[in-house]
Amino acid sequence: MAFAIMTMTDAAAIRVREIVANRADEGALGVRVGIKKGGCAGMEYTVDLVTEPNAADDHITHADANVWVDPAAMLYLLGTQMDFEVTKLRAGFVFNNPNQSSACGCGESVELKPADLKELAEARGQV
């Protein structure tokens, strides 16, 4: 199996496929995950519709669902599992990220540290 920056659960794959099906008329192929500066903890995850993949993005698939990862976010997302959960108060993607050091009280923003480059090389079998 090839190395992937992120993985996704069955629940996340189901939700990505639903998004693509609901936006098929717009040419939806999947979603793109990234991060941006913002929120009280410093960073926020982004999930955007993909109609035209960026060749520089890392592409992951699971159960016929397509997710692309922004190259600028890769060091922050290394080892992350993308999930989808529905609770009484919200429904949305959840990121189980080993690089997350803290989160704000509302859970919308996080503090992330970049993954170690040596660990990344070892994970890819390059060391």
Side-chain angles (χ1 to χ4, degrees), residues 2 21 38-39 45 50 57-58 64 67 91 93-95 105 112 114 118 126:
Y45 295 104
V50 171
D57 289 353
D58 193 61
D64 296 323
V67 172
F93 289 109
V94 176
F95 298 91
L112 299 172
K118 184 178 179 194
Q126 297 172 344

Side-chain angles (χ1 to χ4, degrees), residues 7-126:
T7 60
M8 73 179 113
T9 65
D10 291 341
I14 289 167
R15 181 61 185 140
V16 169
R17 287 195 317 265
E18 288 172 350
I19 290 168
V20 169
N22 291 337
R23 308 279 294 272
D25 60 332
E26 298 173 46
L29 300 174
V31 298
R32 184 175 199 243
V33 175
I35 56 171
K36 68 178 183 176
K37 293 184 187 245
C40 52
M43 297 179 137
E44 298 173 331
Y45 295 104
T46 61
V47 179
D48 299 303
L49 189 67
V50 171
T51 57
E52 191 172 315
N54 180 338
D57 289 353
D58 193 61
H59 179 231
I60 62 171
T61 60
H62 175 71
D64 296 323
N66 293 294
V67 172
W68 285 268
V69 181
D70 178 356
M74 288 182 186
L75 285 179
Y76 294 98
L77 297 175
L78 180 65
T80 297
Q81 180 190 58
M82 181 179 174
D83 195 7
F84 183 79
E85 69 178 19
V86 178
T87 68
K88 289 182 180 184
L89 299 176
R90 73 177 288 277
F93 289 109
V94 176
F95 298 91
N96 300 308
N97 186 341
N99 304 305
Q100 181 176 316
S101 52
S102 66
C104 68
C106 68
E108 292 298 316
S109 68
V110 294
E111 183 178 341
L112 299 172
K113 60 180 173 54
D116 184 284
L117 289 176
K118 184 178 179 194
E119 283 181 31
L120 176 60
E122 289 171 353
R124 289 189 173 208
Q126 297 172 344

